[in-house]
Amino acid sequence: MGTMESGLRAPCCDKANVKKGPWSPEEDATLKEYIDKHGTGGNWISLPQKAGLKRCGKSCRLRWLNYLRPNIKHGEFSDDEDKLICTLFTSIGSRWSIIAAQLPGRTDNDIKNYWNTKLKKKLMGKLVPHHPSQNQRKPHQSPNYPSFFPVFPPQSPTQTGYFTGYESPISVPPNFMHSSSTGFSTNATPTALVQAQESYVGPLFGGGEASSSSDGSCSNQVIRGREHDNYGVPSGNENLGLQSFFFDGYSDQKPSGLGYGESDPVDYSSLEEIKELISTSTVCSNLNFFC
DNA sequence: AAGCTTTGCAACCGCAACGCT
DNA sequence: GAGCGTTGCGGTTGCAAAGCT
């Protein structure tokens, strides 16, 4: 590690001579043909050159993994898949790669998009907003988003007990993801994950009580990190992805109306509803609220 | 029919971990 | 152990299509 600090990170490719944007059928064919013949060669950076593509290696990798790879499933998600995604999301957050690993043929990108555009709304559609007056749409707000998606109070991120809405309301013990007591691993079955989450579901909504880390700093600090457990699985001190589930009441993707620290009033009673909904949807084996 | 808004998804970006030297 | 290149991941963006007025 350690190139990050310098700010002098070399670009992964010559951006000037690299094509961006949607892939053409010809490019797809070229990439597929090359990989079918030679494999990836363990080096995506040099692959486009060898294959005769004017693309960044990263772009090739992404295209292959998300689209060209054999056995990729496209199209509608089944109810079972919906439920599994929901269960896993409430267990481990936006760990899309891990969630994707439980859904054969689905890519993390697919699942992420599906969650952000459909599943989240589907889930939230089950909730009735408390205060219709707050339900006025803001730019880019989906019509069926309840207004009470909390945007958290305008407190300093360092104040214990609050978070800005840009950061996870959740902190997880560093050993949670690879704790033997939780039984978590990428190889864990969804059932195991639910069990793990069950043991942890309380603190998920513990608000301020759960937000301090052991060194006394606040877990509002977004911790991005990937440790790996014995299974080669990302694990560790995680910023679970419920943040995206919670914060953006008026955009799928970004809080376009309010700046950092600005907020609408919070409807805390609605938090209880969400809490109940998620714990119900997660813990209850009869996940039938999608039906 | 035209213009505007919203939605869905492919692709990009930046960061952090990995792994080799 | 440090440095550096590569990989993998999650968040974000851009744009075409669909829907609405």
Side-chain angles (χ1 to χ4, degrees), chain A residues 8-175:
Chain A
L8 296 172
R9 181 191 197 81
C12 69
C13 51
D14 180 2
K15 305 230 178 208
N17 294 316
V18 151
K19 189 184 171 211
K20 288 163 75 172
W23 281 65
S24 68
E26 292 75 26
E27 288 176 309
D28 281 348
T30 303
L31 179 59
K32 192 166 188 325
E33 195 184 323
Y34 180 87
I35 293 178
D36 284 347
K37 264 191 197 161
H38 305 98
T40 64
N43 188 339
W44 285 106
I45 300 296
S46 62
L47 187 146
Q49 232 181 351
K50 292 179 192 164
L53 285 162
K54 284 191 162 58
R55 289 277 180 175
C56 172
K58 267 179 130 176
S59 180
C60 293
R61 176 184 163 271
L62 204 68
R63 185 64 179 170
W64 172 256
L65 291 177
N66 287 337
Y67 199 81
L68 298 173
R69 192 162 48 114
N71 306 320
I72 292 286
K73 216 191 280 180
H74 287 108
E76 286 295 295
F77 282 70
S78 68
D79 279 350
D80 282 348
E81 286 175 314
D82 283 2
K83 290 169 189 173
L84 187 51
I85 292 166
C86 240
T87 299
L88 291 167
F89 185 89
T90 53
S91 298
I92 61 173
S94 55
R95 306 285 294 273
W96 304 118
S97 58
I98 295 174
I99 294 172
Q102 303 295 330
L103 293 161
R106 300 293 188 186
T107 68
D108 53 355
N109 207 37
D110 248 6
I111 294 168
K112 180 172 59 183
N113 282 334
Y114 181 59
W115 170 266
N116 284 329
T117 59
K118 291 181 184 170
L119 202 48
K120 187 166 67 176
K121 295 171 189 174
K122 204 169 168 179
L123 175 63
M124 296 316 296
K126 300 286 174 180
L127 295 175
V128 181
H130 262 256
H131 303 301
S133 63
Q134 291 180 4
N135 207 22
Q136 290 168 341
R137 280 177 45 192
K138 294 172 181 164
H140 209 65
Q141 180 178 17
S142 170
N144 53 357
Y145 269 35
S147 64
F148 56 73
F149 258 114
V151 179
F152 292 89
Q155 304 290 334
S156 153
T158 57
Q159 280 183 271
T160 302
Y162 293 105
F163 45 102
T164 67
Y166 283 83
E167 294 130 0
S168 174
I170 300 156
S171 69
V172 173
N175 62 344

Side-chain angles (χ1 to χ4, degrees), chain A residues 250-261:
Chain A
Y250 41 91
S251 166
D252 279 2
Q253 295 166 338
K254 59 175 185 277
S256 52
L258 298 169
Y260 281 68

